[in-house]
């Protein structure tokens, strides 16, 4: 540790005199005052992509839709609204990419507030960190993190939206803020989503002779609903606090489960429901001591989950019962009527010290706790005892310190960080109807270094490196007692991450090109079968790639956006780690991972149409993903390989706003060509759909 501190002190950027810093004090302050949050992030030393959600408020889009249009991002969903979604950032995917809401792990808020259910009108911006994850997030991510910054409008307002879409989909959102005397305020956020997800698919259905025949059918057991409501009571602008608030919220989901992981077996009665109640306290005080800012967050919550798999029926894809078993459910041999009780807690302390206008030192510590017990009388009758009453516990602690330094003219910026990750887990596994207790604990160091150099007002370059660690989460370690089995012996994933980028910015164009390199160890991989899945440490991999993005506005009314990503993800494991006794998979592209993708968008805005204060906006977007293999490329005949086909999905829409943004009506059509869409092998996504939205804003 002494050597690391000495290195920090001897960095060339830290040799600047205090006298030079004082000379630039006035200029530095002016720049900060005139820079918005999104622009400041883009100009920071962090390798970050910022998506401004405000320009999507009039569109009938969800948060997951706008995230999928960002550079280097690939979202893979299992179906329609509410279905499981994985996020890939520069080849780092799934749980290797951590999701946060206002800097707090999103898992604390429950499934009812996940990215694939959040309405865009509840969000201010999306911050997508690539390579180095900042200390203030307190993340154990492997090289990517997404921070959802929620809407924090200071003035009084009331906004309500209603969206109606294909497949019996409805979405309602209400946001409001009201300021009371003495700087007291009340914020309210509430939304509700519902969909039957009964879109058409092509599946094999037994004919009158019992032979499977491909037919066009509708998904018959995929209904999803969720709700979320939060009330924040707080105070601002006091001597003892710049912000102090208490938030109470409740959320929940109700979900029918349509099929197994690879969509080979339909289910007709399996369901999962979840309710979450939690509360949290926020406290911010700037200049609590000269140059010292403090931010505190603490919260606790309770989650009740209910998984039901008790039917003896076996279903076909048209919803008919084709068989009735004498024992076992649709998923498990025991059948399940499982109640899960979970207590979550999270606490964060963030300290920032700014001795002068060119230096900032930050310290963050984030701790999370997870405790779960269950009960299942149906499974207990089968096994002779109720295994699920045994508790599972997980505790995580992520600590980090960073030092950021600018040269006097801010040509160079340096950011150095050191992190410490720790977790402990105790739980159980059930093998051959025998319960076995299991536990694990470990700690891991991490470090990061980033530089940014400004060549001129239009051109800048960034370089970053991080030795990153991702700790296993509760689902990977303990499973979900249904589709995913427990794996208590999992080891953390580790990665060396390098990024090098160049940024070009002018009044009418913004462009960035980034090259990236990742070297991953002990990858936690979800191995699937027809009946269940299980996480394992399996592979080592190397990722190299390049991505580019551009925003061009040749005329004030017209804007073009585009991005593309190419990445090569190679297996660097030998022998049994790749599932074989030889090295025939060594240095091959990892299967089931997209390697070429891109997005393009065009938007036209016509202000003062028909009447002053009225605005018409039209847009068109297209997304492309090149086809890729489900299994290893050198296995099997070329004409018989299982392939996730190439995707070219288009959408277009228009919105009209009148009375100076008070009312907005919009219409959007997704998957214009009604293409057969896949993100995962054999798992069909919705075809063409129509989405309508009405927004009312009262200042």
């Amino acid at each position: 540790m002494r050597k690391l501190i000495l290195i920090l002190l001897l960095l060339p950027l830290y040799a600047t005199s205090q006298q030079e810093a004082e000379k630039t004090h006035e200029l530095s302050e002016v720049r900060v005052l005139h820079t918005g949050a999104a622009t400041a992030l883009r100009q920071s030393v962090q390798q970050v992509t910022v998506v401004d959600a405000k320009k999507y408020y009039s569109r009938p889009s969800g948060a997951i839709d706008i995230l999928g249009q960002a550079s280097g991002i690939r979202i893979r969903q299992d179906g329609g609204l509410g279905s499981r979604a994985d996020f890939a950032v520069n080849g780092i995917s799934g749980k290797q990419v951590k999701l946060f809401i206002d800097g707090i792990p999103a898992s604390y808020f429950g499934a009812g507030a996940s990215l694939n259910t959040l309405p865009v009108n509840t969000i201010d911006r999306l911050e997508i960190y690539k390579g180095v994850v900042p200390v203030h997030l307190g993340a154990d991510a492997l090289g990517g993190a997404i921070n959802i910054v929620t809407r924090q409008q200071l003035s009084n307002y009331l906004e309500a939206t209603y969206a109606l879409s294909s497949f019996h989909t409805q979405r309602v959102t209400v946001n409001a803020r009201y300021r009371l005397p003495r700087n007291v305020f009340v914020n309210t956020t509430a939304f509700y989503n519902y969909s039957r997800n009964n879109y058409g698919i092509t599946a094999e259905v037994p004919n009158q002779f019992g032979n499977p025949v491909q037919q066009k059918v509708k998904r018959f057991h995929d209904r999803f609903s969720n709700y979320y409501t939060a009330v924040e009571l707080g105070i601002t602008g006091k001597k003892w606090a710049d912000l102090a608030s208490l938030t109470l919220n409740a959320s929940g989901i109700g979900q029918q489960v349509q099929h197994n992981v690879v969509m080979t077996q339909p289910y007709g009665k399996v369901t999962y429901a979840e309710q979450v109640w939690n509360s949290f306290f926020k406290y911010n005080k700037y200049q609590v001591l000269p140059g010292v800012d403090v931010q505190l967050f603490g919260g606790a919550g309770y989650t009740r989950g209910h998984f039901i798999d008790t039917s003896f029926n076996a279903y076909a894809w048209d919803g008919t019962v084709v068989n009735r078993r004498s024992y076992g459910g649709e998923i498990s041999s025991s059948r399940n009527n499982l109640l899960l009780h979970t207590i979550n807690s999270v606490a964060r302390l963030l300290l920032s010290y700014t001795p002068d206008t060119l230096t900032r030192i930050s310290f963050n510590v984030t701790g999370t706790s997870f405790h779960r017990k269950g009960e299942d009388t149906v499974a207990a009758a089968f096994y002779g005892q109720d295994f699920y009453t045994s508790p599972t516990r997980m505790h995580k602690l992520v600590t980090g310190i960073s030092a950021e330094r600018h040269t006097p003219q801010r040509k160079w910026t340096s950011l150095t960080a050191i992190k410490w990750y720790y977790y402990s887990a105790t739980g159980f596994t059930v093998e051959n109807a025998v319960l076995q207790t299991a536990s694990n604990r470990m700690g891991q160091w991490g470090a990061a270094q980033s530089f940014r150099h400004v060549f001129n007002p239009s051109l800048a370059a960034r370089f970053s490196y991080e030795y990153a660690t991702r700790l296993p989460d509760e689902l990977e370690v303990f499973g979900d007692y249904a589709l995913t089995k427990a794996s208590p012996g999992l080891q953390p994933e580790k990665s060396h991450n390098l990024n090098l980028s160049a940024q070009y910015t002018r009044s009418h164009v913004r462009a960035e090109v980034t090259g990236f390199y990742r070297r991953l160890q002990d990858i936690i991989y979800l191995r699937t079968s027809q009946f269940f899945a299980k996480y394992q440490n399996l592979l080592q991999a190397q990722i190299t790639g390049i991505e580019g993005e551009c925003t061009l506005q040749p005329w004030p009314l017209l804007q073009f956006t585009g991005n593309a990503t190419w990445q090569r993800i190679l297996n660097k494991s030998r022998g049994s780690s790749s599932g074989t006794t030889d090295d025939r998979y060594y240095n091959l592209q990892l299967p089931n991972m997209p390697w070429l993708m891109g997005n393009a968008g065009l938007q036209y805005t016509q202000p003062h149409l028909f009447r002053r204060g009225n605005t018409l906006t039209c847009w068109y977007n297209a997304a492309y993903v090149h086809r890729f293999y489900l299994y290893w490329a050198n296995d099997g005949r070329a004409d018989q390989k299982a392939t996730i086909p190439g995707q070219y999905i288009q959408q277009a829409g228009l919105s009209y706003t009148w009375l100076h943004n008070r009312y907005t009506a919009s219409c959007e059509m997704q998957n214009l060509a009604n293409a057969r869409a896949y993100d995962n092998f054999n798992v069909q996504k919705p075809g063409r759909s129509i989405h309508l939205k009405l927004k009312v804003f009262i200042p």
Side-chain angles (χ1 to χ4, degrees):
M1 180 61 73
R2 292 180 179 177
K3 291 182 179 179
L4 289 172
I5 295 173
L6 183 61
I7 291 173
L8 290 176
L9 294 175
L10 294 178
L11 280 173
L13 297 177
Y14 286 72
T16 310
S17 68
Q18 183 64 30
Q19 182 180 3
E20 291 176 317
E22 291 174 355
K23 291 179 181 179
T24 62
H25 178 271
E26 184 176 353
L27 176 61
S28 301
E29 287 299 312
V30 171
R31 291 181 63 175
V32 171
L33 289 173
H34 286 82
T35 302
T39 302
L41 275 172
R42 293 190 185 103
Q43 296 176 354
S44 72
V45 69
Q46 304 282 358
Q47 192 71 42
V48 57
T49 297
V50 183
V51 180
D52 187 358
K54 291 185 285 295
K55 67 179 183 179
Y56 295 93
Y57 285 175
S58 298
R59 300 190 187 185
S61 305
I64 200 169
D65 299 316
I66 63 173
L67 177 65
Q69 298 174 28
S71 172
I73 299 293
R74 176 59 181 156
I75 299 174
R76 301 176 70 176
Q77 271 189 285
D78 284 346
L81 179 66
S83 62
R84 184 179 65 91
D86 281 336
F87 313 99
V89 178
N90 292 160
I92 305 291
S93 62
K95 297 176 180 296
Q96 298 167 341
V97 181
K98 285 299 178 71
L99 182 63
F100 296 82
I101 298 177
D102 293 328
I104 304 303
S107 58
Y108 168 74
F109 299 93
S114 60
L115 188 58
N116 56 345
T117 60
L118 278 174
V120 68
N121 291 73
T122 64
I123 300 171
D124 179 77
R125 64 182 183 275
L126 297 172
E127 302 170 353
I128 306 163
Y129 294 92
K130 305 171 182 179
V132 176
V133 179
V135 162
H136 74 263
L137 288 180
D140 57 324
L142 199 62
I146 300 169
N147 185 34
I148 303 170
V149 180
T150 60
R151 200 166 170 175
Q152 300 291 333
Q153 193 163 325
L154 297 179
S155 58
N156 292 345
Y157 77 99
L158 171 64
E159 182 184 85
T161 69
Y162 174 74
L164 178 65
S165 308
S166 302
F167 319 124
H168 299 85
T169 302
Q170 300 182 67
R171 309 185 73 165
V172 181
T173 306
V174 176
N175 294 299
R177 180 182 177 94
Y178 185 69
R179 295 191 68 87
L180 299 168
R182 304 190 180 212
N183 292 342
V184 176
F185 68 89
V186 178
N187 284 339
T188 300
T189 298
F191 60 84
Y192 174 77
N193 301 315
Y194 172 86
S195 180
R196 287 178 61 183
N197 286 320
N198 58 337
Y199 57 89
I201 60 173
T202 301
E204 291 187 341
V205 179
N207 61 14
Q208 57 183 337
F209 305 107
N211 298 320
V213 178
Q214 281 207 344
Q215 295 184 20
K216 186 77 172 180
V217 297
K218 290 186 176 181
R219 293 166 72 98
F220 65 93
H221 187 66
D222 200 18
R223 186 176 66 244
F224 174 85
S225 65
N226 83 300
Y227 66 90
Y228 177 90
T229 179
V231 177
E232 179 184 17
L233 177 64
I235 192 167
T236 60
K238 298 296 182 180
K239 289 184 178 180
W240 52 274
D242 290 284
L243 168 68
S245 70
L246 176 67
T247 301
L248 304 176
N249 64 33
S251 64
I253 64 170
Q255 186 168 21
Q256 296 176 335
V257 181
Q258 177 64 91
H259 54 74
N260 60 351
V261 177
V262 291
M263 199 174 166
T264 57
Q265 179 62 52
Y267 304 139
K269 292 291 184 181
V270 181
T271 61
Y272 178 73
E274 182 177 287
Q275 294 82 41
V276 180
W277 299 269
N278 57 30
S279 61
F280 52 87
F281 175 75
K282 291 191 291 187
Y283 175 82
N284 297 343
K285 177 58 183 173
Y286 306 109
Q287 297 295 315
V288 64
L289 293 174
V292 178
D293 302 335
V294 59
Q295 297 182 34
L296 289 171
F297 180 96
Y302 168 73
T303 302
R304 181 183 185 273
H306 191 191
F307 173 73
I308 299 177
D309 173 27
T310 57
S311 175
F312 291 110
N313 294 337
Y315 290 85
W317 279 108
D318 61 356
T320 60
V321 178
V322 296
N323 187 27
R324 186 168 174 83
R325 295 176 297 270
S326 58
Y327 73 95
E330 297 180 80
I331 297 177
S332 64
S333 58
S334 65
R335 300 193 303 149
N336 289 103
N337 186 6
L338 175 61
L339 284 171
L340 294 172
H341 307 278
T342 305
I343 296 176
N344 282 308
S345 61
V346 59
R348 185 187 72 172
L349 170 63
L350 175 61
L351 296 174
S352 300
Y353 175 53
T354 309
D356 55 66
T357 59
L358 302 178
T359 307
R360 186 179 185 86
I361 300 172
S362 300
F363 171 79
N364 182 78
V365 56
T366 301
T368 58
S369 177
F370 170 90
H371 179 268
R372 184 172 70 187
K373 291 185 69 174
E375 54 187 281
D376 190 333
T377 56
V378 173
F382 178 85
Y383 290 116
Q385 68 178 106
D386 193 346
F387 298 122
Y388 303 110
T389 58
S390 299
T392 54
R393 297 182 178 88
M394 175 175 286
H395 304 282
K396 288 186 179 181
L397 186 68
V398 179
T399 304
I401 185 170
S402 66
E404 182 175 1
R405 179 72 174 178
H406 307 274
T407 54
Q409 302 302 321
R410 294 183 177 262
K411 291 287 186 180
W412 281 94
T413 302
S414 169
L415 179 64
T416 307
I418 303 169
K419 300 179 182 180
W420 168 252
Y421 313 92
Y422 172 81
Y423 99 108
S424 65
T426 58
F428 66 92
T429 62
V430 178
E431 299 292 342
N432 299 319
V434 177
L435 183 143
Q436 298 178 347
T437 59
S439 62
N440 200 0
R441 66 176 60 192
M442 62 191 64
Q444 179 74 35
W445 284 99
Q449 177 64 57
S450 301
F451 293 102
R452 184 175 188 265
H453 178 61
V454 179
F455 296 97
N456 56 55
S458 299
L459 184 63
R462 292 188 289 203
F463 169 80
S464 64
Y465 164 79
E466 181 173 24
Y467 178 57
T469 294
R470 187 188 74 87
L471 306 172
D473 69 8
E474 55 270 15
L475 176 62
E476 293 168 325
V477 173
F478 303 129
D480 61 4
Y481 303 134
L483 297 176
T484 307
K485 285 194 169 184
S487 302
L490 286 175
Q491 298 296 307
E493 298 176 308
K494 295 173 283 291
S495 178
H496 297 275
N497 302 322
L498 289 170
N499 285 73
L500 179 62
S501 67
Q503 298 173 296
Y504 180 77
T505 307
R506 295 292 294 272
S507 59
H508 63 286
V509 62
R510 186 176 74 243
E512 183 168 3
V513 178
T514 303
F516 53 90
Y517 172 87
R518 314 275 187 264
R519 186 66 183 234
L520 290 75
Q521 297 175 280
D522 296 323
I523 297 175
I524 298 176
Y525 183 77
L526 181 63
R527 302 196 71 168
T528 62
S529 69
Q530 181 175 353
F531 301 103
F532 63 87
K534 185 175 182 178
Y535 289 95
Q536 297 181 2
N537 289 111
L538 184 62
L539 298 172
Q540 299 183 44
Q542 175 182 294
I543 304 172
T544 54
I546 187 170
E547 69 174 35
E549 61 177 319
C550 178
T551 299
L552 179 64
Q553 194 161 7
W555 300 282
L557 306 183
L558 186 66
Q559 184 182 76
F560 168 81
T561 58
N563 60 70
T565 301
W566 174 88
Q567 56 195 21
R568 187 168 174 80
I569 309 173
L570 299 180
N571 170 42
K572 291 298 181 179
S573 298
R574 295 184 179 273
S576 58
S577 295
S578 298
T580 183
T581 56
D582 56 32
D583 291 338
R584 68 177 183 270
Y585 298 144
Y586 182 76
N587 235 25
L588 283 185
Q589 174 87 10
L590 277 183
N592 199 25
M593 296 290 289
W595 57 274
L596 179 63
M597 52 200 168
N599 298 276
L602 193 65
Q603 178 173 298
Y604 174 79
T605 303
Q606 178 61 62
H608 311 306
L609 183 65
F610 304 131
R611 186 175 180 180
R612 188 168 186 83
N614 298 359
T615 303
L616 174 70
T617 304
C618 306
W619 63 87
Y620 169 83
N621 294 300
Y624 173 77
V625 179
H626 197 70
R627 69 183 182 94
F628 53 97
Y629 291 128
L630 177 67
Y631 303 115
W632 296 103
N634 62 348
D635 282 349
R637 291 175 48 179
D639 59 341
Q640 296 180 348
K641 292 182 186 295
T643 303
I644 289 85
Q647 310 289 301
Y648 180 64
I649 306 299
Q650 307 168 74
Q651 65 182 51
L654 59 87
S655 68
Y656 186 71
T657 299
W658 64 98
L659 290 182
H660 300 279
N661 201 38
R662 285 180 179 249
Y663 303 99
T664 303
S666 59
C667 175
E668 181 177 81
M669 182 174 288
Q670 297 184 1
N671 197 349
L672 288 172
N674 199 29
R676 291 186 64 176
Y678 299 85
D679 283 339
N680 299 300
F681 179 70
N682 213 38
V683 181
Q684 299 173 43
K685 294 181 62 182
R688 184 187 297 116
S689 58
I690 299 175
H691 305 257
L692 307 174
K693 181 178 177 180
L694 178 65
K695 177 172 75 76
V696 178
F697 182 85
I698 303 174

